[in-house]
């Protein structure tokens, strides 16, 4: 997960960010975002991938769709966006090859040295679209806004080695599978956080962190609409291309102020994790239709 460096949040991008429901996320990235790598690493040690929950000394907790909505200001309902990484245009009526669509959207194609398969180096984006020129016409502003959105998705929501073309075509929430600090100097801090979590007791854990008025005052108002809130407790599949994970909030009802009965056995869909979306010609909305 990286902060979006080298690209200025221009006021002229705001209308496009609002249209894409990403303005709250952009402001978070530009002004408020801070990642405690050691703390994240300490929590990862308590993450159980077969249940998608954090096993704490006093029970289970997890990242929920409510967390995504409250903290990032992202809607959690609506139509999904999904596609293959290569040749997906042959599955869409009137579709075009990826690079043709890329040039039409951004007005330029990166040189081969800045491309790895279907991933574009972040440095190229920063150098090419770092700051929108003064007096730029609306078409130019729109292209720079698209590049900013692509960087926002690629560096904050879908962190990877580069920005794939699919970043312009998708919108979803995805939880980190694991995290390792980038520097060995963080080791002592990781140990400190692990010890603190080991000693954490039930009465010290805030099960409903969003119930206080001071938090509700800064929440993006759209996420409080009933159409979003009704999905926070839904047990459903979360889809990231071919990767499908199960959102099992029935295991963590205290997070929503509920009483936790003995949980049912976790649904094991590990066989879906082995499906690789990088390459091939499978159209995932059809190939995995049962889950989509």
């Amino acid at each position: 997960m990286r902060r979006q460096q080298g690209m200025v949040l221009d006021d002229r991008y705001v209308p496009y960010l609002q249209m894409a429901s990403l303005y709250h996320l952009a402001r978070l990235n530009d002004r408020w975002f801070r990642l405690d790598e050691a703390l994240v690493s300490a929590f990862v040690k308590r993450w159980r991938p077969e249940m998608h929950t954090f096993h704490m000394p006093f029970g289970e907790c997890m990242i929920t769709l409510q967390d995504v909505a409250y903290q990032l200001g992202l809607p959690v309902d609506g139509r999904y966006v999904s596609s293959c990484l290569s040749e997906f245009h042959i599955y869409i009526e009137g579709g075009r090859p990826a690079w043709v669509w890329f040039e039409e959207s951004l007005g330029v194609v990166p040189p081969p040295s800045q491309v790895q398969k279907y991933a574009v180096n972040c440095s190229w984006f920063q150098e090419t679209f770092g700051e929108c020129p003064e007096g730029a016409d609306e078409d130019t502003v729109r292209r720079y806004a698209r590049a900013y959105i692509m960087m926002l998705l690629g560096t904050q929501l879908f962190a990877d080695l580069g920005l794939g073309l699919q970043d312009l075509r998708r919108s979803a929430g995805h939880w980190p599978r694991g995290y390792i600090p980038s520097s060995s100097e963080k080791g002592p801090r990781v140990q400190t956080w692990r010890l603190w979590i080991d000693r954490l007791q039930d009465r010290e854990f805030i099960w409903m962190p969003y119930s206080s008025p001071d938090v509700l005052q800064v929440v993006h108002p759209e996420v409080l609409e009933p159409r979003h809130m009704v999905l926070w407790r839904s047990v459903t599949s979360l889809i990231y291309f071919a990767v499908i994970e199960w959102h099992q909030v029935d295991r963590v009802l205290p997070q929503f102020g509920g009483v936790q009965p003995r949980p049912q056995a976790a649904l094991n869909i590990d066989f879906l994790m082995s499906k690789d979306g990088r390459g091939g010609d499978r159209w995932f909305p059809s190939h995995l239709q049962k889950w989509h």
Side-chain angles (χ1 to χ4, degrees), residues 171-246:
S171 177
H174 188 236
W175 326 136
R177 300 184 188 283
Y179 187 88
I180 300 175
S182 57
S183 171
S184 59
E185 297 177 357
K186 297 183 179 71
R189 293 184 55 236
V190 174
Q191 294 299 327
T192 299
W193 277 122
R194 287 180 183 171
L195 180 61
W196 187 87
I197 295 174
D198 289 343
R199 294 176 174 177
L200 191 64
Q201 299 183 33
D202 185 24
R203 66 176 183 274
E204 299 172 309
F205 190 85
I206 303 175
W207 287 104
M208 300 180 67
Y210 309 117
S211 58
S212 60
D214 57 330
V215 172
L216 293 175
Q217 288 177 5
V218 297
V219 170
H220 193 284
E222 182 182 350
V223 307
L224 299 177
E225 296 179 8
R227 62 192 178 97
H228 298 305
M229 297 171 65
V230 73
L231 294 178
W232 290 347
R233 304 187 193 188
S234 61
V235 178
T236 184
S237 55
L238 300 175
I239 303 168
Y240 178 80
F241 278 78
V243 176
I244 298 177
E245 298 185 2
W246 203 247

Side-chain angles (χ1 to χ4, degrees), residues 9 57 59 100 126 136 274:
L9 177 54
V100 173
Q126 294 166 351
S274 63

Side-chain angles (χ1 to χ4, degrees), residues 13-198:
Y13 303 163
V14 171
Y16 300 105
L17 290 165
Q18 291 174 329
M19 289 171 58
S21 300
L22 292 171
Y23 182 48
H24 185 84
L25 179 65
R27 292 173 67 223
L28 178 76
N29 177 81
D30 189 58
R31 303 177 186 178
W32 304 317
F33 179 71
R34 185 177 70 86
L35 176 65
D36 189 328
E37 298 179 351
L39 177 60
V40 172
S41 296
F43 268 101
V44 165
K45 283 295 184 181
R46 288 189 168 274
W47 178 255
R48 303 305 305 169
E50 67 273 17
M51 297 181 179
H52 294 175
T53 54
F54 294 98
H55 282 221
M56 307 296 283
F58 45 80
E60 298 178 32
C61 61
M62 69 182 297
I63 302 169
T64 68
L65 291 175
Q66 183 186 26
D67 296 312
V68 175
Y70 267 92
Q71 297 185 28
L72 302 182
L74 296 177
V76 296
D77 71 330
R79 297 188 63 185
Y80 64 82
V81 178
S82 186
S83 62
C84 296
L85 293 180
S86 61
E87 309 302 329
F88 60 83
H89 63 282
I90 66 176
Y91 296 94
I92 304 175
E93 184 178 353
R96 292 157 293 170
W99 290 114
V100 173
W101 181 82
F102 186 98
E103 184 174 17
E104 180 179 303
S105 299
L106 299 179
V108 64
V109 173
S113 61
Q114 298 297 321
V115 177
Q116 301 175 23
K117 270 195 171 181
Y118 280 83
V120 182
N121 292 337
C122 293
S123 57
W124 179 84
F125 267 89
Q126 294 166 351
E127 294 169 0
T128 307
F129 298 100
E131 190 169 355
C132 189
E134 291 291 336
D137 59 30
E138 196 60 32
D139 286 342
T140 301
V141 172
R142 189 180 298 113
R143 288 197 297 270
Y144 273 74
R146 287 171 179 157
Y148 186 92
I149 289 173
M150 191 170 181
M151 280 288 289
L152 187 66
L153 296 177
T155 58
Q156 189 153 329
L157 289 185
F158 306 105
D160 207 334
L161 298 180
L163 293 175
L165 292 179
Q166 70 277 10
D167 288 324
L168 283 169
R169 303 284 299 174
R170 69 192 181 195
S171 177
H174 188 236
W175 326 136
R177 300 184 188 283
Y179 187 88
I180 300 175
S182 57
S183 171
S184 59
E185 297 177 357
K186 297 183 179 71
R189 293 184 55 236
V190 174
Q191 294 299 327
T192 299
W193 277 122
R194 287 180 183 171
L195 180 61
W196 187 87
I197 295 174
D198 289 343

